[in-house]
DNA sequence: ATGACCTGATACGTCGGAGGTCTTGAACGC
DNA sequence: GCGTTCAAGACCTCCGACGTATCAGGTCAT
């Protein structure tokens, strides 16, 4: 195994074992390199790799730190990976999202605060009746993000965030080519919100399912 | 932005845009470094980072290649990230798994082949009535992996693979401390398998939910 | 002619050192 | 007390050299 890979494993080990805790500062490059028995250049490769997936946070002029290791932060790296998938796997991502999103929406129905409900309402109101496709999709992302956040599960939240990215392009495309897509999306958002206000988890789940299934169905018929 | 980060973005761009396709070989380090306008050392940091998340495959003495970019391969990197999460977030991972696994099991009920069913049966038979905890957990992973694979959604499959890792430790712990956990797990596996043989998606979903919920419940009461 | 073996070219792996740039915090002057 | 300046510390980038693994092509014995 290459010395760099060993260094990655050793640093990972130090974090997993608790020798390094979130927020801790690592020894400076030259010292850490000496400790781990490799050159500064090779160590930097290891640090850079761990930095890409948000395990380490490198600040020039300051030092290298262990990140908070929050699920949100670590799963953020997921979206980077997801970006590489080609359109032919979008359907599979969408299928996974169709499983998670309704569940998250149902969870939110029993937990969401009045304040958040008002914020979601305001958000939909602000968008108006005939928004541009780009605005709609951006609002769509925010709307669902807000709901999922209220599910209270940060892993679920981050996962859906990562999965929603690649389907965004598809939805923009849809908005541009399918006439009633915009109006339909607006109606479904209102329905989901109404179900949340009623604290009706099953209704919320169903509307979320319908909402995503409509995108899925359209995409399947188009490809 | 640092030159290395630029290089990462540029390489990513080359892949996403299709200039580099899965399996393609990259120019040699010195050339690519010259093309991208940075030093070989800095480029190596970029390549190493992309290699960690399985975007690139570096072979000493040969060259650097773009991987297949299969969802399976890319989401494999997820398990690396998940390893860093501490025990206090295991419950959240388990909650997500409780959403995905039943859905995957239900999907498998209508797609799984007779051959696969026989393989799962043989697997359970081989384990016997009173397996060691380690064997049981290993078999548990294989059992669910086999079922999820039959769901036909490789993204779902890889995602569950990544999520199952961190809960493994918890399950071993449970097996060691909860008396009837082993017998219960064996019974539930048989029940899931029976539902799959009956092509009963709803029964399969329910048994899978019960199966995971039992782990979740125990863990919640313990923490 | 065929096969194993050897060898050179090629490309990645590792290293040490030299400047450069950015952040931080203390010393300084107002 | 407050803002400015400056120097130390840490990461950033680069260069050149050498080590090591892989592969292809040639050599030689069978």
């Amino acid at each position: 195994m290459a010395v760099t890979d060993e260094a990655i494993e050793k640093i990972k080990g130090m974090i997993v074992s608790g020798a390094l805790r979130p927020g801790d500062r690592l020894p400076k490059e030259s010292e850490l390199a000496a400790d781990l028995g490799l050159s500064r250049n090779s160590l930097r490769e290891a640090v850079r790799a761990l930095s890409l997936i948000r395990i380490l946070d490198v600040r020039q002029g300051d030092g290298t730190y262990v990140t908070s290791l929050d699920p949100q932060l670590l799963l953020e790296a997921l979206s980077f990976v997801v970006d590489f998938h080609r359109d032919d796997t979008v359907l599979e991502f969408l299928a996974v999202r169709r499983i998670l999103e309704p569940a998250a929406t149902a969870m939110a129905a029993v937990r969401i605060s009045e304040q958040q409900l008002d914020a979601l309402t305001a958000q939909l109101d602000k968008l108006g009746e005939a928004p541009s496709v780009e605005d709609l999709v951006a609002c769509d992302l925010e709307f669902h993000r807000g709901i999922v956040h209220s599910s209270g599960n940060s892993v679920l939240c981050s996962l859906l965030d990562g999965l929603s990215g690649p389907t965004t392009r598809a939805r923009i495309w849809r908005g541009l080519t399918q006439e009633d897509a915009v109006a339909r999306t607006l109606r479904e958002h209102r329905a989901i919100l109404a179900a949340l206000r009623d604290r009706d988890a099953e209704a919320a789940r169903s509307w979320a399912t319908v909402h995503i299934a409509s995108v899925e169905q359209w995409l399947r018929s188009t490809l």
Side-chain angles (χ1 to χ4, degrees), chain A:
Chain A
M1 185 191 279
V3 292
T4 302
D5 293 317
E6 283 180 31
I8 292 176
E9 287 303 320
K10 285 177 182 172
I11 296 173
K12 176 181 177 181
M14 287 190 282
I15 296 175
V16 171
S17 73
L20 284 175
R21 305 166 127 271
D24 278 359
R25 177 180 179 158
L26 273 68
K28 63 179 174 189
E29 286 182 349
S30 56
E31 282 181 15
L32 187 55
D35 288 347
L36 300 181
L38 42 66
S39 74
R40 242 191 88 238
N41 271 331
S42 300
L43 173 66
R44 278 184 58 78
E45 290 182 19
V47 171
R48 172 72 65 177
L50 290 173
S51 163
L52 179 66
I53 57 175
R54 314 300 178 96
I55 302 296
L56 298 180
D57 180 19
V58 181
R59 305 176 204 161
Q60 181 179 171
D62 184 359
T64 302
Y65 300 81
V66 179
T67 66
S68 63
L69 298 181
D70 278 341
Q72 179 176 357
L73 195 64
L74 267 57
L75 291 176
E76 205 173 282
L78 179 67
S79 72
F80 185 92
V81 168
V82 167
D83 282 341
F84 284 91
H85 284 95
R86 315 198 67 73
D87 288 339
D88 54 353
T89 52
V90 165
L91 269 180
E92 296 198 354
F93 279 101
L94 208 53
V96 173
R97 192 166 166 241
R98 197 185 62 175
I99 297 170
L100 288 177
E101 186 100 34
T105 306
M107 288 165 70
V110 298
R111 293 187 80 264
I112 195 167
S113 68
E114 291 296 329
Q115 185 185 1
Q116 267 166 320
L117 283 171
D118 292 341
L120 289 175
T121 304
Q123 193 188 335
L124 291 188
D125 287 343
K126 198 181 66 181
L127 198 61
E129 288 301 318
S132 73
V133 175
E134 285 77 10
D135 284 348
L136 176 67
V137 172
C139 174
D140 188 297
L141 272 176
E142 264 315 303
F143 182 72
H144 288 290
R145 191 197 307 270
I147 292 174
V148 174
H149 188 266
S150 294
S151 75
N153 186 321
S154 61
V155 171
L156 180 56
C157 192
S158 306
L159 217 47
L160 274 170
D161 252 16
L163 292 176
S164 298
T167 64
T168 300
R169 282 190 303 266
R171 274 177 290 171
I172 289 182
W173 184 28
R174 180 194 190 206
L176 291 174
T177 55
Q178 197 178 39
E179 272 311 311
D180 62 337
V182 173
R184 179 171 182 174
T185 298
L186 289 175
R187 277 200 312 274
E188 288 169 352
H189 279 179
R190 293 285 179 187
I192 292 173
L193 185 54
L196 290 179
R197 273 207 188 279
D198 290 345
R199 306 287 174 186
D200 188 338
E202 281 317 305
R205 183 198 306 276
S206 299
W207 275 111
T209 303
V210 166
H211 185 51
I212 295 175
S214 75
V215 178
E216 195 180 352
Q217 213 168 40
W218 166 80
L219 193 60
R220 194 185 303 277
S221 70
T222 302
L223 291 183

